[in-house]
PDB file of all heavy atoms in Angstrom:
ATOM      1  N   PHE U 112      18.202 -19.080  10.821  1.00  0.00           N
ATOM      2  CA  PHE U 112      17.540 -18.360   9.733  1.00  0.00           C
ATOM      3  C   PHE U 112      18.107 -16.989   9.523  1.00  0.00           C
ATOM      4  O   PHE U 112      18.777 -16.409  10.269  1.00  0.00           O
ATOM      5  CB  PHE U 112      16.045 -18.095  10.226  1.00  0.00           C
ATOM      6  CG  PHE U 112      15.182 -19.380  10.412  1.00  0.00           C
ATOM      7  CD1 PHE U 112      14.955 -19.996  11.635  1.00  0.00           C
ATOM      8  CD2 PHE U 112      14.580 -19.901   9.135  1.00  0.00           C
ATOM      9  CE1 PHE U 112      14.276 -21.091  11.676  1.00  0.00           C
ATOM     10  CE2 PHE U 112      13.825 -21.038   9.385  1.00  0.00           C
ATOM     11  CZ  PHE U 112      13.667 -21.702  10.571  1.00  0.00           C
ATOM     12  N   LEU U 113      18.018 -16.596   8.227  1.00  0.00           N
ATOM     13  CA  LEU U 113      18.416 -15.305   7.852  1.00  0.00           C
ATOM     14  C   LEU U 113      17.241 -14.333   7.946  1.00  0.00           C
ATOM     15  O   LEU U 113      16.169 -14.681   7.243  1.00  0.00           O
ATOM     16  CB  LEU U 113      18.913 -15.328   6.373  1.00  0.00           C
ATOM     17  CG  LEU U 113      19.423 -13.844   5.769  1.00  0.00           C
ATOM     18  CD1 LEU U 113      20.569 -13.316   6.503  1.00  0.00           C
ATOM     19  CD2 LEU U 113      19.821 -14.067   4.365  1.00  0.00           C
ATOM     20  N   THR U 114      17.230 -13.305   8.605  1.00  0.00           N
ATOM     21  CA  THR U 114      16.008 -12.483   8.846  1.00  0.00           C
ATOM     22  C   THR U 114      16.138 -11.032   8.328  1.00  0.00           C
ATOM     23  O   THR U 114      17.105 -10.276   8.566  1.00  0.00           O
ATOM     24  CB  THR U 114      15.715 -12.359  10.371  1.00  0.00           C
ATOM     25  OG1 THR U 114      15.791 -13.662  10.986  1.00  0.00           O
ATOM     26  CG2 THR U 114      14.408 -11.648  10.673  1.00  0.00           C
ATOM     27  N   ASP U 115      15.249 -10.703   7.436  1.00  0.00           N
ATOM     28  CA  ASP U 115      15.097  -9.340   6.963  1.00  0.00           C
ATOM     29  C   ASP U 115      13.965  -8.755   7.750  1.00  0.00           C
ATOM     30  O   ASP U 115      12.996  -9.388   8.144  1.00  0.00           O
ATOM     31  CB  ASP U 115      14.722  -9.321   5.530  1.00  0.00           C
ATOM     32  CG  ASP U 115      15.915  -9.660   4.574  1.00  0.00           C
ATOM     33  OD1 ASP U 115      17.078  -9.676   5.116  1.00  0.00           O
ATOM     34  OD2 ASP U 115      15.659  -9.951   3.362  1.00  0.00           O
ATOM     35  N   ARG U 116      14.034  -7.366   8.065  1.00  0.00           N
ATOM     36  CA  ARG U 116      13.116  -6.650   8.960  1.00  0.00           C
ATOM     37  C   ARG U 116      12.581  -5.438   8.232  1.00  0.00           C
ATOM     38  O   ARG U 116      13.224  -4.769   7.393  1.00  0.00           O
ATOM     39  CB  ARG U 116      13.864  -6.291  10.178  1.00  0.00           C
ATOM     40  CG  ARG U 116      14.186  -7.424  11.071  1.00  0.00           C
ATOM     41  CD  ARG U 116      15.039  -7.082  12.242  1.00  0.00           C
ATOM     42  NE  ARG U 116      14.618  -6.037  13.070  1.00  0.00           N
ATOM     43  CZ  ARG U 116      15.136  -5.613  14.209  1.00  0.00           C
ATOM     44  NH1 ARG U 116      16.139  -6.368  14.665  1.00  0.00           N
ATOM     45  NH2 ARG U 116      14.584  -4.703  15.026  1.00  0.00           N
ATOM     46  N   ALA U 117      11.196  -5.167   8.561  1.00  0.00           N
ATOM     47  CA  ALA U 117      10.632  -3.956   8.135  1.00  0.00           C
ATOM     48  C   ALA U 117       9.809  -3.406   9.344  1.00  0.00           C
ATOM     49  O   ALA U 117       9.292  -4.274  10.020  1.00  0.00           O
ATOM     50  CB  ALA U 117       9.681  -4.199   6.958  1.00  0.00           C
ATOM     51  N   ALA U 118       9.853  -2.118   9.578  1.00  0.00           N
ATOM     52  CA  ALA U 118       9.183  -1.644  10.691  1.00  0.00           C
ATOM     53  C   ALA U 118       7.838  -0.886  10.366  1.00  0.00           C
ATOM     54  O   ALA U 118       7.204  -0.259  11.135  1.00  0.00           O
ATOM     55  CB  ALA U 118      10.070  -0.466  11.301  1.00  0.00           C
ATOM     56  N   ASN U 119       7.350  -1.108   9.088  1.00  0.00           N
ATOM     57  CA  ASN U 119       6.005  -0.512   8.725  1.00  0.00           C
ATOM     58  C   ASN U 119       5.524  -1.394   7.610  1.00  0.00           C
ATOM     59  O   ASN U 119       6.237  -2.074   6.897  1.00  0.00           O
ATOM     60  CB  ASN U 119       6.145   0.955   8.399  1.00  0.00           C
ATOM     61  CG  ASN U 119       7.058   1.222   7.086  1.00  0.00           C
ATOM     62  OD1 ASN U 119       6.649   0.979   5.921  1.00  0.00           O
ATOM     63  ND2 ASN U 119       8.126   1.746   7.237  1.00  0.00           N
ATOM     64  N   GLY U 120       4.238  -1.301   7.418  1.00  0.00           N
ATOM     65  CA  GLY U 120       3.578  -2.041   6.347  1.00  0.00           C
ATOM     66  C   GLY U 120       4.013  -1.901   4.915  1.00  0.00           C
ATOM     67  O   GLY U 120       4.149  -2.836   4.161  1.00  0.00           O
ATOM     68  N   ARG U 121       4.263  -0.621   4.574  1.00  0.00           N
ATOM     69  CA  ARG U 121       4.681  -0.316   3.141  1.00  0.00           C
ATOM     70  C   ARG U 121       5.993  -0.904   2.904  1.00  0.00           C
ATOM     71  O   ARG U 121       6.208  -1.585   1.770  1.00  0.00           O
ATOM     72  CB  ARG U 121       4.623   1.145   2.971  1.00  0.00           C
ATOM     73  CG  ARG U 121       3.283   1.851   3.113  1.00  0.00           C
ATOM     74  CD  ARG U 121       3.275   3.229   2.515  1.00  0.00           C
ATOM     75  NE  ARG U 121       1.936   3.989   2.963  1.00  0.00           N
ATOM     76  CZ  ARG U 121       0.871   3.720   2.216  1.00  0.00           C
ATOM     77  NH1 ARG U 121       0.863   3.075   1.148  1.00  0.00           N
ATOM     78  NH2 ARG U 121      -0.248   4.357   2.454  1.00  0.00           N
ATOM     79  N   ASP U 122       7.085  -0.739   3.684  1.00  0.00           N
ATOM     80  CA  ASP U 122       8.268  -1.394   3.469  1.00  0.00           C
ATOM     81  C   ASP U 122       8.196  -2.868   3.494  1.00  0.00           C
ATOM     82  O   ASP U 122       8.806  -3.588   2.721  1.00  0.00           O
ATOM     83  CB  ASP U 122       9.314  -0.922   4.549  1.00  0.00           C
ATOM     84  CG  ASP U 122       9.635   0.625   4.439  1.00  0.00           C
ATOM     85  OD1 ASP U 122       9.415   1.203   3.352  1.00  0.00           O
ATOM     86  OD2 ASP U 122      10.269   1.191   5.247  1.00  0.00           O
ATOM     87  N   GLY U 123       7.363  -3.442   4.409  1.00  0.00           N
ATOM     88  CA  GLY U 123       7.191  -4.878   4.536  1.00  0.00           C
ATOM     89  C   GLY U 123       6.629  -5.488   3.239  1.00  0.00           C
ATOM     90  O   GLY U 123       7.084  -6.479   2.699  1.00  0.00           O
ATOM     91  N   LEU U 124       5.604  -4.731   2.748  1.00  0.00           N
ATOM     92  CA  LEU U 124       4.941  -5.210   1.420  1.00  0.00           C
ATOM     93  C   LEU U 124       5.949  -5.187   0.303  1.00  0.00           C
ATOM     94  O   LEU U 124       5.907  -6.124  -0.448  1.00  0.00           O
ATOM     95  CB  LEU U 124       3.771  -4.300   1.154  1.00  0.00           C
ATOM     96  CG  LEU U 124       2.964  -4.708  -0.087  1.00  0.00           C
ATOM     97  CD1 LEU U 124       2.477  -6.175  -0.119  1.00  0.00           C
ATOM     98  CD2 LEU U 124       1.887  -3.648  -0.230  1.00  0.00           C
ATOM     99  N   PHE U 125       6.789  -4.126   0.151  1.00  0.00           N
ATOM    100  CA  PHE U 125       7.747  -4.067  -0.745  1.00  0.00           C
ATOM    101  C   PHE U 125       8.746  -5.182  -0.824  1.00  0.00           C
ATOM    102  O   PHE U 125       8.987  -5.816  -1.852  1.00  0.00           O
ATOM    103  CB  PHE U 125       8.547  -2.700  -0.720  1.00  0.00           C
ATOM    104  CG  PHE U 125       9.530  -2.586  -1.700  1.00  0.00           C
ATOM    105  CD1 PHE U 125       9.404  -2.270  -2.997  1.00  0.00           C
ATOM    106  CD2 PHE U 125      11.003  -2.733  -1.382  1.00  0.00           C
ATOM    107  CE1 PHE U 125      10.466  -2.100  -3.894  1.00  0.00           C
ATOM    108  CE2 PHE U 125      12.020  -2.625  -2.282  1.00  0.00           C
ATOM    109  CZ  PHE U 125      11.694  -2.259  -3.564  1.00  0.00           C
ATOM    110  N   LEU U 126       9.231  -5.522   0.418  1.00  0.00           N
ATOM    111  CA  LEU U 126      10.191  -6.622   0.644  1.00  0.00           C
ATOM    112  C   LEU U 126       9.508  -7.962   0.223  1.00  0.00           C
ATOM    113  O   LEU U 126      10.125  -8.767  -0.453  1.00  0.00           O
ATOM    114  CB  LEU U 126      10.710  -6.565   1.931  1.00  0.00           C
ATOM    115  CG  LEU U 126      11.681  -5.517   2.407  1.00  0.00           C
ATOM    116  CD1 LEU U 126      12.025  -5.567   3.844  1.00  0.00           C
ATOM    117  CD2 LEU U 126      12.902  -5.601   1.527  1.00  0.00           C
ATOM    118  N   ALA U 127       8.287  -8.050   0.703  1.00  0.00           N
ATOM    119  CA  ALA U 127       7.547  -9.380   0.556  1.00  0.00           C
ATOM    120  C   ALA U 127       7.330  -9.795  -0.904  1.00  0.00           C
ATOM    121  O   ALA U 127       7.169 -11.044  -1.223  1.00  0.00           O
ATOM    122  CB  ALA U 127       6.188  -9.356   1.288  1.00  0.00           C
ATOM    123  N   THR U 128       7.208  -8.745  -1.811  1.00  0.00           N
ATOM    124  CA  THR U 128       6.930  -9.118  -3.180  1.00  0.00           C
ATOM    125  C   THR U 128       8.003  -9.790  -4.014  1.00  0.00           C
ATOM    126  O   THR U 128       7.796 -10.149  -5.005  1.00  0.00           O
ATOM    127  CB  THR U 128       6.518  -7.824  -3.939  1.00  0.00           C
ATOM    128  OG1 THR U 128       7.536  -6.880  -3.730  1.00  0.00           O
ATOM    129  CG2 THR U 128       5.163  -7.213  -3.435  1.00  0.00           C
ATOM    130  N   ASP U 129       9.294  -9.921  -3.372  1.00  0.00           N
ATOM    131  CA  ASP U 129      10.293 -10.592  -4.132  1.00  0.00           C
ATOM    132  C   ASP U 129      10.200 -12.049  -4.116  1.00  0.00           C
ATOM    133  O   ASP U 129      10.841 -12.753  -4.906  1.00  0.00           O
ATOM    134  CB  ASP U 129      11.710 -10.067  -3.764  1.00  0.00           C
ATOM    135  CG  ASP U 129      12.130 -10.687  -2.476  1.00  0.00           C
ATOM    136  OD1 ASP U 129      11.416 -11.472  -1.799  1.00  0.00           O
ATOM    137  OD2 ASP U 129      13.252 -10.381  -1.995  1.00  0.00           O
ATOM    138  N   GLY U 130       9.358 -12.555  -3.238  1.00  0.00           N
ATOM    139  CA  GLY U 130       9.025 -13.954  -3.276  1.00  0.00           C
ATOM    140  C   GLY U 130      10.197 -14.982  -2.823  1.00  0.00           C
ATOM    141  O   GLY U 130      10.069 -16.205  -3.083  1.00  0.00           O
ATOM    142  N   THR U 131      11.228 -14.435  -2.224  1.00  0.00           N
ATOM    143  CA  THR U 131      12.332 -15.362  -1.832  1.00  0.00           C
ATOM    144  C   THR U 131      12.226 -15.837  -0.375  1.00  0.00           C
ATOM    145  O   THR U 131      13.064 -16.549   0.128  1.00  0.00           O
ATOM    146  CB  THR U 131      13.660 -14.632  -1.998  1.00  0.00           C
ATOM    147  OG1 THR U 131      13.670 -13.466  -1.049  1.00  0.00           O
ATOM    148  CG2 THR U 131      13.866 -14.107  -3.374  1.00  0.00           C
ATOM    149  N   TYR U 132      11.280 -15.476   0.340  1.00  0.00           N
ATOM    150  CA  TYR U 132      11.107 -15.829   1.707  1.00  0.00           C
ATOM    151  C   TYR U 132      10.326 -17.157   1.915  1.00  0.00           C
ATOM    152  O   TYR U 132       9.320 -17.411   1.207  1.00  0.00           O
ATOM    153  CB  TYR U 132      10.357 -14.681   2.627  1.00  0.00           C
ATOM    154  CG  TYR U 132      11.247 -13.439   2.487  1.00  0.00           C
ATOM    155  CD1 TYR U 132      10.740 -12.379   1.673  1.00  0.00           C
ATOM    156  CD2 TYR U 132      12.304 -13.225   3.323  1.00  0.00           C
ATOM    157  CE1 TYR U 132      11.545 -11.207   1.611  1.00  0.00           C
ATOM    158  CE2 TYR U 132      13.040 -12.042   3.266  1.00  0.00           C
ATOM    159  CZ  TYR U 132      12.608 -10.985   2.364  1.00  0.00           C
ATOM    160  OH  TYR U 132      13.362  -9.830   2.298  1.00  0.00           O
ATOM    161  N   CYS U 133      10.705 -17.857   2.869  1.00  0.00           N
ATOM    162  CA  CYS U 133      10.037 -19.161   3.131  1.00  0.00           C
ATOM    163  C   CYS U 133       8.883 -18.941   4.155  1.00  0.00           C
ATOM    164  O   CYS U 133       7.939 -19.712   4.282  1.00  0.00           O
ATOM    165  CB  CYS U 133      10.954 -20.134   3.826  1.00  0.00           C
ATOM    166  SG  CYS U 133      11.787 -19.737   5.297  1.00  0.00           S
ATOM    167  N   CYS U 134       8.989 -17.740   4.863  1.00  0.00           N
ATOM    168  CA  CYS U 134       7.832 -17.331   5.760  1.00  0.00           C
ATOM    169  C   CYS U 134       7.912 -15.898   6.079  1.00  0.00           C
ATOM    170  O   CYS U 134       8.892 -15.306   6.150  1.00  0.00           O
ATOM    171  CB  CYS U 134       8.037 -18.231   7.071  1.00  0.00           C
ATOM    172  SG  CYS U 134       6.656 -17.976   8.297  1.00  0.00           S
ATOM    173  N   ILE U 135       6.696 -15.311   6.342  1.00  0.00           N
ATOM    174  CA  ILE U 135       6.609 -13.959   6.778  1.00  0.00           C
ATOM    175  C   ILE U 135       5.901 -13.894   8.031  1.00  0.00           C
ATOM    176  O   ILE U 135       4.900 -14.392   8.244  1.00  0.00           O
ATOM    177  CB  ILE U 135       5.798 -13.149   5.770  1.00  0.00           C
ATOM    178  CG1 ILE U 135       6.409 -13.083   4.399  1.00  0.00           C
ATOM    179  CG2 ILE U 135       5.580 -11.636   6.179  1.00  0.00           C
ATOM    180  CD1 ILE U 135       5.524 -12.478   3.292  1.00  0.00           C
ATOM    181  N   VAL U 136       6.539 -13.236   9.029  1.00  0.00           N
ATOM    182  CA  VAL U 136       6.030 -12.986  10.276  1.00  0.00           C
ATOM    183  C   VAL U 136       5.460 -11.563  10.431  1.00  0.00           C
ATOM    184  O   VAL U 136       6.271 -10.647  10.311  1.00  0.00           O
ATOM    185  CB  VAL U 136       6.976 -13.240  11.459  1.00  0.00           C
ATOM    186  CG1 VAL U 136       6.343 -13.038  12.864  1.00  0.00           C
ATOM    187  CG2 VAL U 136       7.491 -14.645  11.452  1.00  0.00           C
ATOM    188  N   LEU U 137       4.071 -11.458  10.500  1.00  0.00           N
ATOM    189  CA  LEU U 137       3.485 -10.095  10.230  1.00  0.00           C
ATOM    190  C   LEU U 137       2.818  -9.573  11.378  1.00  0.00           C
ATOM    191  O   LEU U 137       1.791 -10.287  11.866  1.00  0.00           O
ATOM    192  CB  LEU U 137       2.589 -10.288   9.059  1.00  0.00           C
ATOM    193  CG  LEU U 137       1.751  -9.127   8.589  1.00  0.00           C
ATOM    194  CD1 LEU U 137       2.552  -7.895   8.114  1.00  0.00           C
ATOM    195  CD2 LEU U 137       0.779  -9.509   7.542  1.00  0.00           C
ATOM    196  N   ASP U 138       3.157  -8.459  11.935  1.00  0.00           N
ATOM    197  CA  ASP U 138       2.411  -7.804  12.927  1.00  0.00           C
ATOM    198  C   ASP U 138       1.108  -7.242  12.431  1.00  0.00           C
ATOM    199  O   ASP U 138       1.008  -6.806  11.254  1.00  0.00           O
ATOM    200  CB  ASP U 138       3.283  -6.659  13.699  1.00  0.00           C
ATOM    201  CG  ASP U 138       2.477  -5.974  14.851  1.00  0.00           C
ATOM    202  OD1 ASP U 138       1.659  -6.697  15.437  1.00  0.00           O
ATOM    203  OD2 ASP U 138       2.787  -4.789  15.186  1.00  0.00           O
TER     204      ASP U 138
END
């Protein structure tokens, strides 16, 4: 798998909105 990472909720939300991920693992 190719993994992108975010260490806080705001950055994670920004990345998640591009819709290219097959799954989000969310703390």
Side-chain angles (χ1 to χ4, degrees):
F112 291 99
L113 179 64
T114 307
D115 287 344
R116 291 168 57 168
N119 63 74
R121 295 188 187 282
D122 290 346
L124 178 59
F125 175 77
L126 289 173
T128 55
D129 77 0
T131 62
Y132 298 99
C133 62
C134 182
I135 298 170
V136 179
L137 175 65
D138 185 24

